[in-house]
């Protein structure tokens, strides 16, 4: 147990080094891209790129299954089985890539040119972005087994290094975007594709050199093929709802409004994605251990890992989310030269949704680990599908774009509650205890942590850096103090005290 915890902490450290570098570069590059493309073209890039990603549904269906089967079979230590697992997964993803190509070049191309709300003089550029994004998506689909191999082997240092390279390459893209003349939207899409190709090449080189199972093979293990499809088949509804809600709602916003709203949504997604990277480290690093605990029948460790990782994830979320929510208008003004309308509102509502989502993530992973994909698909994923019709309804009634975000809270919360029921029913998980001691408790702690910085925000009316610094400083101090006092258990407090004594040499 101690060795496993050390591995999780080590893997998390690698992921956070990656996160810090990528976060800084991501915010810088987004500012330049928005400035060079303009709000409308930035919106086009987001809606077209998001629309083409809808066709990756088939890939998403098998992504979770690939990771699970590789991690599970690695635990068994049988080389032939591991090799067959990877090879079978690769062939499946290759077939999926051909299916996506067909759908995208038929229905997708028709929908782009006849239904999306794009200015006529930018339709040609949008088609270029569409085709370049399609190539990138096809390469990413066949990349899935290699990424799964890195995760299953728990080589998160490599994952971090290659991710850092990816963002550095994107920084070079920004430099080239500034100096290369021509249609900036087409140039940007082309450079993004080039970056993706280089990153994928490096990933595959490392995997084929270091992992036995990643040597090229088109061999299919039929029993394993059936098992993977059976496991992944039930996740169809879940992945369909995730993609349909994410990209489908972007399409709805485009149809009811314009590409400026898509620009605001794209920027909001960038902020939420960055916050997600900050808190996802614990979850990503712990998932392989969660699968292995269940596979070896260590149910108590399985339960404790879900409780602990969820707690730490929400603690981290509160530290960064509270100052962002309070000072989002100043952050956007500091970050961007031109802020599309509704960007700040989208971000605030998305953070509220994230609190529920991150309370649910380890529960969701627990259900995947015990293999109850059928229940997850039929119950929870069906609930998530309500998001799209609810959004369409409120927009059809003439509500504002922010309503598309507000109504998303309803299915997310019901889905979380349903997941708790599934895990408690099939794994004897203490759902009631988790709901009160993790979700509600952390929600209350976040509210308490926000009182003082929010009061200061109201008292100091000037929207300047001094207030921003004071609010952020107080927010972090309040969050840490309240988490330490009421959030941590006695054992965790003793560990923190011990570490502080060593650090300060008391």
């Amino acid at each position: 147990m101690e060795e496993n915890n050390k591995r999780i902490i080590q893997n998390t450290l690698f992921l956070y080094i990656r996160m810090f570098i990528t976060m800084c570069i991501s915010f810088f590059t987004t500012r330049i891209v928005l400035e060079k493309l303009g709000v409308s073209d930035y919106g086009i890039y987001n809606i077209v790129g998001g629309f083409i990603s809808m066709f990756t549904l088939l890939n998403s269906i098998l992504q979770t299954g690939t990771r699970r089967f590789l991690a599970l079979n690695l635990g068994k230590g049988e080389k032939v089985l591991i090799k067959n697992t990877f090879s079978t997964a690769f062939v499946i993803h290759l077939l999926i890539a051909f299916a996506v190509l067909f759908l995208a070049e038929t229905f997708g191309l028709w929908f782009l040119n006849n239904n999306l709300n794009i200015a006529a003089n930018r339709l040609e550029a949008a088609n270029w972005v569409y085709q370049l994004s399609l190539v990138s998506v096809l390469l990413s689909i066949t990349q899935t087994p290699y990424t799964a191999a890195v995760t299953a082997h728990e080589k998160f240092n490599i994952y971090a290094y290659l991710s850092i390279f990816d963002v550095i390459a994107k920084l070079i893209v920004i430099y080239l975007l500034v100096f290369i003349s021509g249609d900036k939207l087409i140039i940007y899409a082309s450079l993004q594709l080039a970056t993706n190709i280089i990153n994928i090449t490096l990933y595959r080189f490392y995997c084929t050199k270091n992992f036995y199972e990643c040597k090229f093979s088109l061999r299919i293990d039929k029993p394993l093929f059936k098992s993977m499809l059976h496991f992944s088949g039930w996740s169809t509804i879940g992945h369909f709802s995730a993609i349909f809600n994410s990209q489908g709602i972007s399409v709805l916003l485009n149809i009811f409004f314009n590409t400026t709203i898509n620009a605001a949504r794209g920027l909001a997604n960038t902020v939420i994605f960055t916050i997600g990277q900050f808190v996802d480290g614990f979850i990503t690093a712990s998932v392989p251990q969660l699968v292995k605990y269940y596979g070896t029948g260590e149910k108590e460790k399985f339960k404790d890992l879900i409780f602990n990782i969820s707690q730490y994830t929400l603690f981290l979320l509160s530290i960064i989310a509270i100052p962002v929510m309070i000072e989002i208008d100043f952050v956007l003004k500091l970050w961007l030269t031109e802020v599309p309308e509704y960007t700040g509102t989208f971000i605030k509502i998305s953070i509220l949704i994230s609190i529920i989502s991150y309370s649910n993530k380890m529960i969701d992973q627990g259900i995947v680990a015990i293999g109850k994909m059928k229940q997850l698909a039929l119950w929870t994923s069906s609930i998530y599908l309500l998001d799209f019709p609810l959004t369409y309804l409120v927009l059809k009634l003439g509500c504002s774009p922010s309503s598309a975000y507000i109504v998303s809270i309803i299915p997310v919360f019901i889905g979380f509650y349903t997941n708790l029921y599934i895990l408690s029913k099939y794994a004897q998980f203490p759902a009631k205890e988790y709901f009160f001691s993790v979700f509600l408790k952390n929600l209350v702690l976040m509210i308490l942590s926000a009182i003082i910085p929010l009061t200061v925000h109201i008292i100091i009316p000037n929207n300047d850096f001094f207030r921003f610094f004071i609010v952020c400083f107080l927010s972090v101090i309040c969050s840490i103090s309240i988490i330490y006092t009421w959030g941590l258990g006695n054992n965790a407090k003793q560990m923190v005290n011990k570490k502080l004594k060593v650090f300060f040499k008391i």
Side-chain angles (χ1 to χ4, degrees):
M1 179 69 172
E2 184 65 27
E3 184 62 32
N4 289 332
N5 286 338
K6 286 181 180 178
R7 188 183 298 114
I8 291 174
I9 292 170
Q10 184 184 47
N11 290 335
T12 303
L13 179 62
F14 283 124
L15 290 171
Y16 276 111
I17 292 172
R18 163 189 172 271
M19 175 279 303
F20 180 75
I21 296 174
T22 56
M23 181 176 67
C24 294
I25 295 177
S26 176
F27 277 110
F28 173 73
T29 56
T30 301
R31 173 190 173 95
I32 303 300
V33 169
L34 181 63
E35 183 180 330
K36 295 301 174 184
L37 296 186
V39 172
S40 181
D41 274 7
Y42 185 80
I44 291 173
Y45 183 81
N46 276 277
I47 183 61
V48 173
F51 178 68
I52 195 69
S53 70
M54 290 180 70
F55 293 101
T56 62
L57 169 65
L58 294 173
N59 180 58
S60 300
I61 292 169
L62 280 159
Q63 197 171 56
T64 303
T66 300
R67 290 174 180 172
R68 181 182 183 273
F69 274 86
L70 274 174
L72 213 56
N73 292 335
L74 275 172
K76 296 177 182 178
E78 299 177 21
K79 281 193 171 183
V80 176
L81 180 61
I82 298 167
K83 173 69 175 175
N84 288 344
T85 303
F86 181 88
S87 178
T88 301
F90 181 76
V91 172
I92 292 171
H93 284 86
L94 198 60
L95 294 173
I96 289 171
F98 282 113
V100 169
L101 177 63
F102 174 76
L103 289 171
E105 293 292 9
T106 52
F107 169 77
L109 206 55
W110 168 82
F111 191 90
L112 168 70
N113 288 284
N114 292 278
N115 291 278
L116 290 184
N117 188 6
I118 297 173
N121 65 331
R122 298 306 292 150
L123 198 55
E124 183 182 352
N127 274 274
W128 272 99
V129 172
Y130 183 85
Q131 296 297 338
L132 292 167
S133 299
L134 176 59
V135 175
S136 186
V137 163
L138 295 175
L139 290 172
S140 297
I141 289 172
T142 59
Q143 174 65 14
T144 300
Y146 294 92
T147 308
V150 173
T151 304
H153 282 276
E154 299 186 62
K155 297 294 182 181
F156 292 97
N157 56 330
I158 301 302
Y159 181 65
Y161 297 150
L162 290 174
S163 297
I164 291 170
F165 167 80
D166 183 48
V167 293
I168 292 174
K170 288 177 180 177
L171 195 59
I172 297 172
V173 165
I174 297 304
Y175 176 81
L176 295 174
L177 182 65
V178 172
F179 290 100
I180 296 177
S181 59
D183 191 308
K184 296 295 184 181
L185 181 57
I186 298 174
I187 292 169
Y188 180 64
S190 302
L191 292 172
Q192 287 288 76
L193 172 59
T195 300
N196 196 25
I197 291 172
I198 295 171
N199 193 45
I200 285 173
T201 302
L202 290 172
Y203 249 113
R204 296 191 184 189
F205 176 78
Y206 174 82
C207 289
T208 52
K209 186 178 180 180
N210 293 277
F211 305 143
Y212 165 79
E213 70 272 14
C214 293
K215 307 294 182 184
F216 181 77
S217 173
L218 295 178
R219 183 174 164 188
I220 297 179
D221 184 312
K222 289 184 180 179
L224 190 59
F225 179 85
K226 290 179 181 178
S227 296
M228 291 179 72
L229 286 183
H230 178 75
F231 175 86
S232 301
W234 284 113
S235 65
T236 303
I237 300 175
H239 290 292
F240 177 78
S241 63
I243 292 174
F244 203 58
N245 289 340
S246 174
Q247 305 308 331
I249 290 172
S250 292
V251 171
L252 282 179
L253 287 171
N254 175 264
I255 292 172
F256 278 91
F257 300 99
N258 50 46
T259 53
T260 301
I261 294 298
N262 291 120
R265 183 171 172 84
L267 291 167
N269 288 342
T270 297
V271 174
I272 297 304
F273 176 75
T274 304
I275 293 174
Q277 285 187 309
F278 184 78
V279 299
D280 272 337
F282 279 116
I283 295 173
T284 306
S286 63
V287 166
Q289 286 299 321
L290 191 68
V291 174
K292 290 169 186 175
Y293 281 152
Y294 183 77
T296 55
E298 298 176 275
K299 293 184 179 180
E300 193 62 30
K301 291 180 180 178
F302 176 84
K303 184 208 81 172
D304 289 343
L305 191 61
I306 292 176
F307 267 76
N308 292 335
I309 298 301
S310 297
Q311 284 270 30
Y312 300 149
T313 299
L314 290 171
F315 289 163
L316 286 170
L317 181 62
S318 68
I319 290 172
I320 190 170
I322 292 170
V324 169
M325 285 191 71
I326 295 174
E327 287 289 345
I328 188 59
D329 292 333
F330 179 77
V331 170
L332 290 173
K333 181 182 175 183
L334 190 68
W335 175 30
L336 305 171
T337 52
E338 183 180 1
V339 182
E341 189 181 5
Y342 290 105
T343 304
T345 304
F346 287 174
I347 292 171
K348 289 177 183 178
I349 301 171
S350 295
I351 289 175
L352 293 176
I353 295 171
S354 294
I355 295 171
I356 305 172
S357 296
Y358 279 102
S359 300
N360 184 37
K361 279 202 171 186
M362 283 301 290
I363 301 297
D364 191 79
Q365 290 297 332
I367 295 172
V368 172
I370 67 174
K372 295 299 178 182
M373 301 302 295
K374 178 179 178 180
Q375 289 73 18
L376 189 64
L378 293 179
W379 301 355
T380 311
S381 299
S382 299
I383 292 169
Y384 291 151
L385 280 172
L386 293 172
D387 198 6
F388 186 84
L390 283 174
T391 300
Y392 176 79
L393 179 63
V394 295
L395 293 179
K396 192 68 175 176
L397 291 173
C399 297
S400 69
S402 55
S403 62
Y405 278 76
I406 294 171
V407 295
S408 296
I409 295 175
I410 299 170
V412 169
F413 182 78
I414 298 174
F416 167 49
Y417 195 82
T418 304
N419 272 356
L420 279 174
Y421 172 76
I422 294 171
L423 197 59
S424 66
K425 181 178 180 179
Y426 293 99
Q428 291 76 52
F429 185 80
K432 186 176 180 180
E433 181 187 349
Y434 182 91
F435 184 80
F436 284 100
S437 66
V438 175
F439 174 67
L440 282 184
K441 179 180 177 181
N442 280 280
L443 189 62
V444 171
L445 293 181
M446 287 182 186
I447 293 171
L448 291 175
S449 300
I451 292 174
I452 293 177
L454 182 59
T455 303
V456 172
H457 172 84
I458 295 170
I459 292 173
I460 305 176
N462 295 325
N463 193 14
D464 57 17
F465 192 79
F466 173 74
R467 189 187 71 180
F468 172 74
F469 175 79
I470 295 297
V471 168
C472 289
F473 176 77
L474 288 173
S475 179
V476 172
I477 293 299
C478 289
S479 295
I480 292 175
S481 301
I482 289 172
I483 287 169
Y484 178 83
T485 305
W486 291 296
L488 298 179
N490 291 328
N491 291 335
K493 284 182 181 178
Q494 289 175 11
M495 183 185 72
V496 171
N497 291 337
K498 184 179 179 181
K499 295 293 182 183
L500 287 175
K501 287 179 180 178
V502 172
F503 182 79
F504 290 107
K505 297 180 180 179
I506 298 175

